[in-house]
Amino acid sequence: MRPLELDPLFKTVESLPGIGPKSAEALARVTGRDGPEDTRALDLLLFPPHAMIDRTLRTGITEAPEGTIATLKVRVDRHQPSPPGRKTVPYRVFVHDGTGEMALTFFHSKQAWLEKILPVGETVLVSGKVEWFNGRPSMVHPDHVVAESDADSLPLIEPVYPLTAGLSPKLLRRAIEAAIDLMPTLPEWADPHLVRRNSFPDMAAAVRQLHHPESALDLEPQTAARRRLAYDELLAGQLSLALVRQTLRKLPGQTVHAEGRLRGRVLEALPFSLTGSQQTAVADILKDMAGSDRMLRLLQGDVGSGKTAVAMMAMANAVEAGGQAVLMAPTEILARQHYATIRKMAEAAGIEVAVLTSRAKGRERKDLLEKIASGQAQIVIGTHALFQDSVSYASLTLAVVDEQHRFGVHQRLRLTAKGTAPHMLVMTATPIPRTLVLAAFGDMDVSKLTEKPAGRQPITTVTIPDERIEEIVERLRSALREGRKAYWICPLVEDSQDSDLMSVETRHSSLVKALGPELGRQVSLVHGRMSADEKDQAMSAFKSGETRLLVATTVIEVGVDVPDATIMVIEHAERFGLAQLHQLRGRVGRGDGASSCILLYHGPLGETAGARLSVLRETEDGFRIAEEDLKLRGEGEVLGTRQSGMPGFRLANLSAHADLLEIARTDARAILETDPGLTSPRGAALRMLLYLMRRDEAIRFLRAG
């Protein structure tokens, strides 16, 4: 049960004074919640400002610099209302001080209200942005107008928050102040030594300082208040991951003892030998699986580093020990591709492989489910269809999840419920910087594949402005004539009025036309709006060589494997993130032909876009690229937080607070070792923290455990 003291903070925002249904909708949007009923007073407390307005600049009217926020003491001379029936003409109020005069300009404002706040002959303080038109100063819609006698009520330092349609700064500010008034007295959950060493204020004081900065420095991530709140957020995240891990680990693992007979056969049949880092990863995985605890391991490897071969070694051992293994992929295309690769490897060892996706219907599906339930299907590959209730396994020993960022903790748990606690290996081709691995996968051990398999070719990467596109088409024509294969990536499916980007459909038809009748027939199209069958047909045609140029959106970003494709053109490369560009580039260079990646950009390039493209030109090291991406974009962007089920941080900034992440991780582990049920006084305070940071799912694990 949630502690009663926290109830006021879990009031919906609609219950706050002055907030109606429309404002509540806007507050839900700006705080990233699912709707007004899910948006609580608490969400406003933990919604940090991103800038501030300094109203301390007091000048005379004519001394106020153009475009700055100034606070002026002026006398009201006269009102000039909009002419009757001409609402588009602004209402003006003329004021003066000792240095000159100016107009305060208002659109669509009520005359009675303006006469009340700006009475003729009175001295008032006005604060807002000063603009100059034709040598005359003006202030459009001042932010504040107060009588001289109320000068103290004018906020001198004002925090600025992100806004959305239907939400004014005043309304948001009023809602935040109402939420602050609801703050109860909270117990201290942080370690006293940490609090002293970092001069941390308590959480309630830190929240008040967050919303009442006294200078621009108060918004810096390294202030004591910001660090305090960042630590609380990171601790809640690490504690919930550690609780998940504790629950998963409580289920004893199935000890996998195998001599490695099947593994040896698979190895002999492979056309390459394993790299050093593949061998190390296999050794770590087999050691985990042979222990009594369940394995929870993350296998990070750049595109083309050979993760599937490592997973196959683990699956062969699981099968030899009498168990079954599953491999879960995020899309149908990928599941079928894994099936093709793994079946080849498994054949040599006589292992039976089945593929189960939502496309299997009727009799075919019934037969498949029977094979899985009887244990005849020893390795099962599929999408999330693998853990529907209708699927039961004879003896599920190992679950391999490809592209973890498409699967949250909950799906991992559902898959886990299928076996008597199978070992779990999670693979990702998105190289994640160490700080993010800790933040998002604090509950896992990590293996890294750092070398490319032998025979992989380096990829030459060049950046070219899009006005030279005809040269690229000319080079493509020659390459296609020589029998080579190429990808052409566009950011959009169809043209939209508010975008100048080239859509994939438009580019497809322009390339068919430019290449002429003979080569135009060899151009195919793939995008996310096509049905699974249409996508598969286009991909098979490209794989088999029936078509040689594939025009696509980023649906081909993850895992599509066509070893003889050697050219990658990415249009509007400046619009993609670094990690995504690196993923796309990794679709070529997979065979023994020399490969190239052409980044077409639309100039002029902004500073960040320019930095991204030059990092790609300089290196193919996915881990270095991921670190640079984190510096350039911040963690929420790198992870595509909302889509990925990974933690997006509001108060913590992983590049500024990496030291706190390490401390939070150590703290979370130490706490659960001494107080696994969080029953001590500090444990009770930490339960409060989990509720405050909206990590209630972790508390369910406490109960389940």
Side-chain angles (χ1 to χ4, degrees):
M1 288 285 290
R2 185 170 68 221
L4 293 174
E5 305 95 297
L6 297 184
D7 284 354
L9 297 183
F10 281 84
K11 280 182 169 181
T12 61
V13 286
E14 217 172 316
S15 66
L16 298 174
I19 302 296
K22 281 216 165 92
S23 314
E25 283 277 358
L27 288 169
R29 279 199 305 277
V30 82
T31 54
R33 287 281 155 216
D34 291 333
E37 60 297 331
D38 183 45
T39 315
R40 314 287 172 158
L42 173 68
D43 297 314
L44 297 175
L45 292 182
L46 303 179
F47 183 58
H50 63 82
M52 55 156 283
I53 296 172
D54 184 347
R55 298 193 187 282
T56 52
L57 176 66
R58 296 281 183 100
T59 70
I61 288 174
T62 56
E63 294 154 357
E66 161 79 26
T68 55
I69 302 266
T71 303
L72 310 169
K73 185 173 164 184
V74 296
R75 192 170 179 81
V76 182
D77 295 332
R78 63 193 168 90
H79 284 237
Q80 182 184 305
S82 313
R86 294 182 61 196
K87 286 272 189 276
T88 51
V89 177
Y91 188 118
R92 289 194 171 86
V93 180
F94 292 93
V95 298
H96 78 276
D97 69 3
T99 67
E101 73 160 10
M102 77 185 295
L104 305 178
T105 305
F106 299 87
F107 291 90
H108 311 294
S109 288
K110 303 234 177 350
Q111 181 167 351
W113 177 71
L114 289 172
E115 285 172 345
K116 186 181 165 196
I117 64 165
L118 289 160
V120 173
E122 290 291 320
T123 299
V124 294
L125 267 70
V126 295
S127 188
K129 190 184 275 189
V130 177
E131 308 282 6
W132 287 73
F133 298 104
N134 303 327
R136 301 170 73 94
S138 158
M139 191 183 281
V140 178
H141 281 280
D143 302 324
H144 296 274
V145 177
V146 298
E148 188 179 16
S149 55
D150 290 336
D152 290 350
S153 69
L154 183 78
L156 295 181
I157 300 289
E158 210 173 343
V160 179
Y161 300 85
L163 292 173
T164 182
L167 187 62
S168 70
K170 274 197 178 133
L171 184 92
L172 176 58
R173 184 78 213 162
R174 201 166 60 228
I176 288 172
E177 290 302 332
I180 289 173
D181 291 342
L182 299 173
M183 288 264 289
T185 306
L186 296 168
E188 182 55 87
W189 44 73
D191 181 283
H193 299 303
L194 180 74
V195 171
R196 276 199 303 277
R197 202 169 61 239
N198 286 275
S199 313
F200 280 165
D202 63 55
M203 187 194 182
V207 166
R208 287 190 187 95
Q209 285 175 41
L210 178 73
H211 297 294
H212 300 128
E214 290 177 7
S215 78
L217 292 174
D218 290 346
L219 295 186
E220 292 293 318
Q222 296 304 356
T223 60
R226 276 313 275 263
R227 278 176 64 78
R228 163 76 216 218
L229 293 171
Y231 170 75
D232 288 343
E233 185 174 32
L234 293 168
L235 179 61
Q238 291 300 305
L239 197 53
S240 59
L241 282 169
L243 281 166
V244 172
R245 183 183 188 117
Q246 177 178 276
T247 309
L248 295 185
R249 283 270 159 99
K250 268 184 193 154
L251 303 162
Q254 303 171 52
T255 311
V256 175
H257 288 307
E259 291 165 16
R261 200 176 63 258
L262 297 185
R263 202 172 73 244
R265 284 190 209 153
V266 174
L267 264 175
E268 277 168 31
L270 286 179
F272 53 82
S273 50
L274 297 186
T275 64
S277 55
Q278 278 176 311
Q279 288 169 5
T280 307
V282 169
D284 287 342
I285 290 164
L286 299 185
K287 186 177 167 202
D288 285 358
M289 286 167 66
S292 55
D293 279 348
R294 296 180 62 205
M295 170 173 75
L296 271 175
R297 187 170 281 277
L298 176 69
L299 177 63
Q300 271 193 284
D302 213 339
V303 173
S305 57
K307 294 181 296 296
T308 314
V310 171
M312 185 63 217
M313 298 295 124
M315 292 193 285
N317 253 34
V319 170
E320 189 180 327
Q324 282 168 300
V326 296
L327 190 156
M328 184 162 74
T331 64
E332 197 137 326
I333 289 184
L334 268 184
R336 295 196 171 275
Q337 197 169 286
H338 274 307
Y339 174 62
T341 313
I342 281 169
R343 199 178 56 181
K344 261 188 233 152
M345 294 183 190
E347 263 169 9
I351 297 171
E352 170 128 9
V353 185
V355 61
L356 177 70
T357 65
S358 51
R359 232 198 296 169
K361 298 275 188 285
R363 182 79 219 156
E364 182 197 356
R365 184 176 173 81
K366 192 166 174 279
D367 290 348
L368 267 172
L369 294 179
E370 279 170 13
K371 278 185 173 178
I372 295 168
S374 69
Q376 187 188 335
Q378 295 163 302
I379 293 178
V380 189
I381 293 165
T383 54
H384 49 274
L386 291 173
F387 56 59
Q388 284 166 353
D389 295 336
S390 56
V391 187
S392 59
Y393 295 85
S395 167
L396 182 55
T397 306
L398 170 67
V400 181
V401 178
D402 189 19
E403 286 306 326
Q404 157 71 17
H405 62 286
R406 314 287 167 107
F407 295 102
V409 166
H410 301 299
Q411 281 105 323
R412 267 174 20 215
L413 286 168
R414 275 183 69 187
L415 187 58
T416 296
K418 283 288 170 194
T420 47
H423 296 285
M424 191 165 281
L425 177 67
V426 168
M427 308 193 293
T428 176
T430 312
I432 307 169
R434 176 174 156 68
T435 42
L436 285 189
V437 169
L438 289 187
F441 303 109
D443 60 334
M444 294 196 166
D445 301 307
V446 181
S447 289
K448 264 187 185 182
L449 300 182
T450 48
E451 307 134 285
K452 286 212 170 173
R456 281 285 165 99
Q457 298 300 310
I459 303 164
T460 308
T461 305
V462 293
T463 47
I464 292 178
D466 57 9
E467 55 258 33
R468 288 172 55 195
I469 200 161
E470 280 163 23
E471 291 174 37
I472 305 302
V473 175
E474 206 41 61
R475 280 169 62 184
L476 260 185
R477 186 180 281 111
S478 320
L480 296 176
R481 285 226 165 91
E482 290 163 16
R484 293 167 70 192
K485 284 187 189 171
Y487 296 99
W488 187 298
I489 306 299
C490 299
L492 292 180
V493 176
E494 56 195 36
D495 289 323
S496 71
Q497 289 175 331
D498 34 328
S499 174
D500 56 347
L501 303 183
M502 174 65 76
S503 88
V504 69
E505 288 168 338
T506 312
R507 177 56 72 211
H508 174 254
S509 48
S510 77
L511 284 168
V512 169
K513 203 162 144 196
L515 291 166
E518 179 205 345
L519 293 173
R521 283 198 298 273
Q522 299 190 11
V523 186
S524 52
L525 173 68
V526 171
H527 58 71
R529 298 231 184 119
M530 291 160 70
S531 71
D533 277 347
E534 290 170 325
K535 279 190 264 194
D536 279 0
Q537 278 168 8
M539 286 308 308
S540 320
F542 183 57
K543 245 180 146 157
S544 68
E546 198 182 314
T547 60
R548 297 198 158 273
L549 174 59
L550 183 67
V551 183
T553 55
T554 55
V555 289
I556 66 122
E557 171 191 346
V558 178
V560 175
D561 191 16
V562 182
D564 56 344
T566 55
I567 298 166
M568 168 65 71
V569 180
I570 303 173
E571 192 164 354
H572 278 291
E574 78 282 358
R575 296 295 183 107
F576 293 98
L578 245 182
Q580 197 175 29
L581 287 169
H582 177 62
Q583 285 274 349
L584 288 165
R585 172 171 66 179
R587 301 291 119 231
V588 296
R590 300 170 82 85
D592 44 18
S595 292
S596 54
C597 174
I598 297 145
L599 303 173
L600 277 177
Y601 66 87
H602 184 68
L605 281 181
E607 194 180 330
T608 306
R612 273 207 290 270
L613 299 187
S614 60
V615 168
L616 275 165
R617 270 203 319 267
E618 288 161 24
T619 182
E620 277 188 66
D621 174 352
F623 291 101
R624 188 190 145 201
I625 286 170
E627 296 288 352
E628 293 293 333
D629 206 17
L630 183 61
K631 278 184 212 152
L632 288 171
R633 293 198 299 163
E635 70 281 349
E637 289 277 333
V638 169
L639 295 170
T641 311
R642 291 293 298 170
Q643 296 79 1
S644 65
M646 281 194 177
F649 296 108
R650 292 180 172 212
L651 303 155
N653 169 333
L654 289 188
S655 28
H657 300 133
D659 62 320
L660 293 176
L661 176 58
E662 295 279 0
I663 295 166
R665 187 182 196 218
T666 312
D667 280 1
R669 291 193 161 183
I671 289 157
L672 290 185
E673 271 167 28
T674 55
D675 182 13
L678 297 185
T679 50
S680 66
R682 185 182 179 196
L686 284 160
R687 283 171 181 247
M688 269 198 185
L689 170 67
L690 290 170
Y691 279 114
L692 284 168
M693 292 295 171
R694 305 286 291 251
R695 296 280 187 171
D696 336 5
E697 79 274 7
I699 294 173
R700 287 202 286 279
F701 287 118
L702 272 173
R703 288 203 282 275

PDB file of all heavy atoms in Angstrom, residues 681-702:
ATOM      1  N   PRO A 681      13.458   0.903   9.089  1.00  0.00           N
ATOM      2  CA  PRO A 681      13.016   2.300   8.925  1.00  0.00           C
ATOM      3  C   PRO A 681      13.554   2.920   7.633  1.00  0.00           C
ATOM      4  O   PRO A 681      12.825   3.607   6.902  1.00  0.00           O
ATOM      5  CB  PRO A 681      13.588   3.004  10.162  1.00  0.00           C
ATOM      6  CG  PRO A 681      13.733   1.911  11.185  1.00  0.00           C
ATOM      7  CD  PRO A 681      14.046   0.662  10.424  1.00  0.00           C
ATOM      8  N   ARG A 682      14.831   2.651   7.301  1.00  0.00           N
ATOM      9  CA  ARG A 682      15.357   3.194   6.042  1.00  0.00           C
ATOM     10  C   ARG A 682      14.648   2.529   4.848  1.00  0.00           C
ATOM     11  O   ARG A 682      14.359   3.176   3.844  1.00  0.00           O
ATOM     12  CB  ARG A 682      16.874   2.973   5.944  1.00  0.00           C
ATOM     13  CG  ARG A 682      17.440   3.651   4.700  1.00  0.00           C
ATOM     14  CD  ARG A 682      18.923   3.459   4.488  1.00  0.00           C
ATOM     15  NE  ARG A 682      19.343   4.143   3.261  1.00  0.00           N
ATOM     16  CZ  ARG A 682      20.491   3.919   2.652  1.00  0.00           C
ATOM     17  NH1 ARG A 682      21.366   3.070   3.145  1.00  0.00           N
ATOM     18  NH2 ARG A 682      20.780   4.567   1.544  1.00  0.00           N
ATOM     19  N   GLY A 683      14.365   1.224   4.991  1.00  0.00           N
ATOM     20  CA  GLY A 683      13.644   0.504   3.932  1.00  0.00           C
ATOM     21  C   GLY A 683      12.283   1.134   3.673  1.00  0.00           C
ATOM     22  O   GLY A 683      11.863   1.307   2.518  1.00  0.00           O
ATOM     23  N   ALA A 684      11.579   1.519   4.761  1.00  0.00           N
ATOM     24  CA  ALA A 684      10.255   2.146   4.610  1.00  0.00           C
ATOM     25  C   ALA A 684      10.389   3.485   3.873  1.00  0.00           C
ATOM     26  O   ALA A 684       9.564   3.831   3.017  1.00  0.00           O
ATOM     27  CB  ALA A 684       9.622   2.354   5.977  1.00  0.00           C
ATOM     28  N   ALA A 685      11.465   4.227   4.199  1.00  0.00           N
ATOM     29  CA  ALA A 685      11.701   5.514   3.520  1.00  0.00           C
ATOM     30  C   ALA A 685      11.984   5.270   2.038  1.00  0.00           C
ATOM     31  O   ALA A 685      11.513   6.015   1.168  1.00  0.00           O
ATOM     32  CB  ALA A 685      12.873   6.242   4.183  1.00  0.00           C
ATOM     33  N   LEU A 686      12.729   4.195   1.737  1.00  0.00           N
ATOM     34  CA  LEU A 686      13.050   3.888   0.332  1.00  0.00           C
ATOM     35  C   LEU A 686      11.804   3.464  -0.446  1.00  0.00           C
ATOM     36  O   LEU A 686      11.682   3.742  -1.634  1.00  0.00           O
ATOM     37  CB  LEU A 686      14.124   2.792   0.262  1.00  0.00           C
ATOM     38  CG  LEU A 686      15.532   3.302   0.593  1.00  0.00           C
ATOM     39  CD1 LEU A 686      16.441   2.155   0.995  1.00  0.00           C
ATOM     40  CD2 LEU A 686      16.136   4.066  -0.590  1.00  0.00           C
ATOM     41  N   ARG A 687      10.860   2.791   0.224  1.00  0.00           N
ATOM     42  CA  ARG A 687       9.593   2.466  -0.443  1.00  0.00           C
ATOM     43  C   ARG A 687       8.905   3.766  -0.872  1.00  0.00           C
ATOM     44  O   ARG A 687       8.333   3.858  -1.953  1.00  0.00           O
ATOM     45  CB  ARG A 687       8.657   1.701   0.497  1.00  0.00           C
ATOM     46  CG  ARG A 687       9.032   0.239   0.676  1.00  0.00           C
ATOM     47  CD  ARG A 687       8.184  -0.378   1.791  1.00  0.00           C
ATOM     48  NE  ARG A 687       8.558  -1.767   1.980  1.00  0.00           N
ATOM     49  CZ  ARG A 687       7.767  -2.808   1.704  1.00  0.00           C
ATOM     50  NH1 ARG A 687       6.557  -2.610   1.238  1.00  0.00           N
ATOM     51  NH2 ARG A 687       8.172  -4.038   1.914  1.00  0.00           N
ATOM     52  N   MET A 688       8.970   4.778   0.040  1.00  0.00           N
ATOM     53  CA  MET A 688       8.389   6.087  -0.306  1.00  0.00           C
ATOM     54  C   MET A 688       9.058   6.658  -1.550  1.00  0.00           C
ATOM     55  O   MET A 688       8.399   7.181  -2.438  1.00  0.00           O
ATOM     56  CB  MET A 688       8.580   7.072   0.853  1.00  0.00           C
ATOM     57  CG  MET A 688       7.455   7.080   1.812  1.00  0.00           C
ATOM     58  SD  MET A 688       7.557   8.603   2.765  1.00  0.00           S
ATOM     59  CE  MET A 688       6.235   8.312   3.901  1.00  0.00           C
ATOM     60  N   LEU A 689      10.380   6.560  -1.598  1.00  0.00           N
ATOM     61  CA  LEU A 689      11.122   7.081  -2.756  1.00  0.00           C
ATOM     62  C   LEU A 689      10.658   6.382  -4.037  1.00  0.00           C
ATOM     63  O   LEU A 689      10.456   7.027  -5.068  1.00  0.00           O
ATOM     64  CB  LEU A 689      12.633   6.873  -2.555  1.00  0.00           C
ATOM     65  CG  LEU A 689      13.503   7.163  -3.786  1.00  0.00           C
ATOM     66  CD1 LEU A 689      13.480   8.654  -4.131  1.00  0.00           C
ATOM     67  CD2 LEU A 689      14.940   6.707  -3.580  1.00  0.00           C
ATOM     68  N   LEU A 690      10.472   5.054  -3.973  1.00  0.00           N
ATOM     69  CA  LEU A 690      10.034   4.320  -5.170  1.00  0.00           C
ATOM     70  C   LEU A 690       8.673   4.825  -5.642  1.00  0.00           C
ATOM     71  O   LEU A 690       8.440   4.992  -6.835  1.00  0.00           O
ATOM     72  CB  LEU A 690       9.983   2.813  -4.895  1.00  0.00           C
ATOM     73  CG  LEU A 690      11.351   2.129  -4.719  1.00  0.00           C
ATOM     74  CD1 LEU A 690      11.188   0.697  -4.221  1.00  0.00           C
ATOM     75  CD2 LEU A 690      12.155   2.129  -6.022  1.00  0.00           C
ATOM     76  N   TYR A 691       7.759   5.094  -4.704  1.00  0.00           N
ATOM     77  CA  TYR A 691       6.453   5.653  -5.101  1.00  0.00           C
ATOM     78  C   TYR A 691       6.617   7.048  -5.698  1.00  0.00           C
ATOM     79  O   TYR A 691       6.011   7.377  -6.719  1.00  0.00           O
ATOM     80  CB  TYR A 691       5.509   5.728  -3.893  1.00  0.00           C
ATOM     81  CG  TYR A 691       4.843   4.405  -3.571  1.00  0.00           C
ATOM     82  CD1 TYR A 691       5.115   3.727  -2.388  1.00  0.00           C
ATOM     83  CD2 TYR A 691       3.921   3.843  -4.454  1.00  0.00           C
ATOM     84  CE1 TYR A 691       4.499   2.515  -2.090  1.00  0.00           C
ATOM     85  CE2 TYR A 691       3.304   2.630  -4.169  1.00  0.00           C
ATOM     86  CZ  TYR A 691       3.596   1.976  -2.990  1.00  0.00           C
ATOM     87  OH  TYR A 691       2.988   0.778  -2.717  1.00  0.00           O
ATOM     88  N   LEU A 692       7.461   7.868  -5.047  1.00  0.00           N
ATOM     89  CA  LEU A 692       7.641   9.255  -5.513  1.00  0.00           C
ATOM     90  C   LEU A 692       8.198   9.303  -6.930  1.00  0.00           C
ATOM     91  O   LEU A 692       7.862  10.174  -7.717  1.00  0.00           O
ATOM     92  CB  LEU A 692       8.592  10.016  -4.577  1.00  0.00           C
ATOM     93  CG  LEU A 692       7.999  10.457  -3.239  1.00  0.00           C
ATOM     94  CD1 LEU A 692       9.101  10.927  -2.309  1.00  0.00           C
ATOM     95  CD2 LEU A 692       6.978  11.569  -3.442  1.00  0.00           C
ATOM     96  N   MET A 693       9.080   8.358  -7.258  1.00  0.00           N
ATOM     97  CA  MET A 693       9.694   8.350  -8.589  1.00  0.00           C
ATOM     98  C   MET A 693       8.904   7.466  -9.569  1.00  0.00           C
ATOM     99  O   MET A 693       9.413   7.056 -10.594  1.00  0.00           O
ATOM    100  CB  MET A 693      11.153   7.870  -8.498  1.00  0.00           C
ATOM    101  CG  MET A 693      12.058   8.849  -7.772  1.00  0.00           C
ATOM    102  SD  MET A 693      12.188  10.401  -8.684  1.00  0.00           S
ATOM    103  CE  MET A 693      13.074  11.414  -7.486  1.00  0.00           C
ATOM    104  N   ARG A 694       7.667   7.149  -9.196  1.00  0.00           N
ATOM    105  CA  ARG A 694       6.749   6.371 -10.048  1.00  0.00           C
ATOM    106  C   ARG A 694       7.366   5.020 -10.432  1.00  0.00           C
ATOM    107  O   ARG A 694       7.297   4.591 -11.581  1.00  0.00           O
ATOM    108  CB  ARG A 694       6.364   7.151 -11.308  1.00  0.00           C
ATOM    109  CG  ARG A 694       5.776   8.532 -11.064  1.00  0.00           C
ATOM    110  CD  ARG A 694       4.341   8.494 -10.550  1.00  0.00           C
ATOM    111  NE  ARG A 694       3.368   8.054 -11.492  1.00  0.00           N
ATOM    112  CZ  ARG A 694       2.446   8.809 -12.073  1.00  0.00           C
ATOM    113  NH1 ARG A 694       2.382  10.085 -11.801  1.00  0.00           N
ATOM    114  NH2 ARG A 694       1.561   8.307 -12.895  1.00  0.00           N
ATOM    115  N   ARG A 695       7.974   4.365  -9.442  1.00  0.00           N
ATOM    116  CA  ARG A 695       8.562   3.035  -9.678  1.00  0.00           C
ATOM    117  C   ARG A 695       7.761   1.980  -8.913  1.00  0.00           C
ATOM    118  O   ARG A 695       8.318   1.058  -8.330  1.00  0.00           O
ATOM    119  CB  ARG A 695      10.023   3.008  -9.197  1.00  0.00           C
ATOM    120  CG  ARG A 695      10.943   3.947  -9.942  1.00  0.00           C
ATOM    121  CD  ARG A 695      11.355   3.334 -11.248  1.00  0.00           C
ATOM    122  NE  ARG A 695      12.378   4.137 -11.916  1.00  0.00           N
ATOM    123  CZ  ARG A 695      13.025   3.728 -12.988  1.00  0.00           C
ATOM    124  NH1 ARG A 695      12.769   2.550 -13.503  1.00  0.00           N
ATOM    125  NH2 ARG A 695      13.923   4.494 -13.562  1.00  0.00           N
ATOM    126  N   ASP A 696       6.419   2.137  -8.916  1.00  0.00           N
ATOM    127  CA  ASP A 696       5.596   1.238  -8.095  1.00  0.00           C
ATOM    128  C   ASP A 696       5.756  -0.222  -8.507  1.00  0.00           C
ATOM    129  O   ASP A 696       5.579  -1.116  -7.695  1.00  0.00           O
ATOM    130  CB  ASP A 696       4.109   1.567  -8.150  1.00  0.00           C
ATOM    131  CG  ASP A 696       3.794   2.987  -8.524  1.00  0.00           C
ATOM    132  OD1 ASP A 696       4.703   3.773  -8.857  1.00  0.00           O
ATOM    133  OD2 ASP A 696       2.616   3.310  -8.508  1.00  0.00           O
ATOM    134  N   GLU A 697       6.084  -0.448  -9.828  1.00  0.00           N
ATOM    135  CA  GLU A 697       6.182  -1.858 -10.252  1.00  0.00           C
ATOM    136  C   GLU A 697       7.233  -2.592  -9.435  1.00  0.00           C
ATOM    137  O   GLU A 697       7.124  -3.784  -9.175  1.00  0.00           O
ATOM    138  CB  GLU A 697       6.460  -1.982 -11.762  1.00  0.00           C
ATOM    139  CG  GLU A 697       7.882  -1.757 -12.197  1.00  0.00           C
ATOM    140  CD  GLU A 697       8.236  -0.282 -12.435  1.00  0.00           C
ATOM    141  OE1 GLU A 697       7.410   0.586 -12.144  1.00  0.00           O
ATOM    142  OE2 GLU A 697       9.351  -0.029 -12.907  1.00  0.00           O
ATOM    143  N   ALA A 698       8.261  -1.868  -8.962  1.00  0.00           N
ATOM    144  CA  ALA A 698       9.315  -2.515  -8.170  1.00  0.00           C
ATOM    145  C   ALA A 698       8.751  -2.985  -6.830  1.00  0.00           C
ATOM    146  O   ALA A 698       9.164  -4.009  -6.291  1.00  0.00           O
ATOM    147  CB  ALA A 698      10.462  -1.539  -7.948  1.00  0.00           C
ATOM    148  N   ILE A 699       7.776  -2.222  -6.291  1.00  0.00           N
ATOM    149  CA  ILE A 699       7.198  -2.589  -4.991  1.00  0.00           C
ATOM    150  C   ILE A 699       6.392  -3.876  -5.130  1.00  0.00           C
ATOM    151  O   ILE A 699       6.359  -4.704  -4.227  1.00  0.00           O
ATOM    152  CB  ILE A 699       6.377  -1.412  -4.428  1.00  0.00           C
ATOM    153  CG1 ILE A 699       7.366  -0.284  -4.119  1.00  0.00           C
ATOM    154  CG2 ILE A 699       5.601  -1.815  -3.184  1.00  0.00           C
ATOM    155  CD1 ILE A 699       6.808   1.013  -3.714  1.00  0.00           C
ATOM    156  N   ARG A 700       5.786  -4.067  -6.322  1.00  0.00           N
ATOM    157  CA  ARG A 700       5.069  -5.328  -6.548  1.00  0.00           C
ATOM    158  C   ARG A 700       6.021  -6.519  -6.450  1.00  0.00           C
ATOM    159  O   ARG A 700       5.665  -7.588  -6.000  1.00  0.00           O
ATOM    160  CB  ARG A 700       4.375  -5.308  -7.913  1.00  0.00           C
ATOM    161  CG  ARG A 700       3.167  -4.392  -7.929  1.00  0.00           C
ATOM    162  CD  ARG A 700       2.211  -4.786  -9.059  1.00  0.00           C
ATOM    163  NE  ARG A 700       2.726  -4.408 -10.364  1.00  0.00           N
ATOM    164  CZ  ARG A 700       2.622  -3.178 -10.863  1.00  0.00           C
ATOM    165  NH1 ARG A 700       2.044  -2.229 -10.159  1.00  0.00           N
ATOM    166  NH2 ARG A 700       3.091  -2.890 -12.062  1.00  0.00           N
ATOM    167  N   PHE A 701       7.277  -6.309  -6.892  1.00  0.00           N
ATOM    168  CA  PHE A 701       8.260  -7.407  -6.795  1.00  0.00           C
ATOM    169  C   PHE A 701       8.563  -7.731  -5.341  1.00  0.00           C
ATOM    170  O   PHE A 701       8.830  -8.865  -4.995  1.00  0.00           O
ATOM    171  CB  PHE A 701       9.564  -7.056  -7.523  1.00  0.00           C
ATOM    172  CG  PHE A 701       9.418  -7.082  -9.001  1.00  0.00           C
ATOM    173  CD1 PHE A 701       9.613  -5.938  -9.758  1.00  0.00           C
ATOM    174  CD2 PHE A 701       9.063  -8.244  -9.648  1.00  0.00           C
ATOM    175  CE1 PHE A 701       9.451  -5.961 -11.127  1.00  0.00           C
ATOM    176  CE2 PHE A 701       8.901  -8.279 -11.012  1.00  0.00           C
ATOM    177  CZ  PHE A 701       9.098  -7.141 -11.752  1.00  0.00           C
ATOM    178  N   LEU A 702       8.555  -6.701  -4.487  1.00  0.00           N
ATOM    179  CA  LEU A 702       8.787  -6.944  -3.058  1.00  0.00           C
ATOM    180  C   LEU A 702       7.714  -7.882  -2.527  1.00  0.00           C
ATOM    181  O   LEU A 702       7.974  -8.816  -1.802  1.00  0.00           O
ATOM    182  CB  LEU A 702       8.691  -5.623  -2.287  1.00  0.00           C
ATOM    183  CG  LEU A 702       9.968  -4.804  -2.167  1.00  0.00           C
ATOM    184  CD1 LEU A 702       9.643  -3.471  -1.529  1.00  0.00           C
ATOM    185  CD2 LEU A 702      11.006  -5.541  -1.339  1.00  0.00           C
TER     186      LEU A 702
END
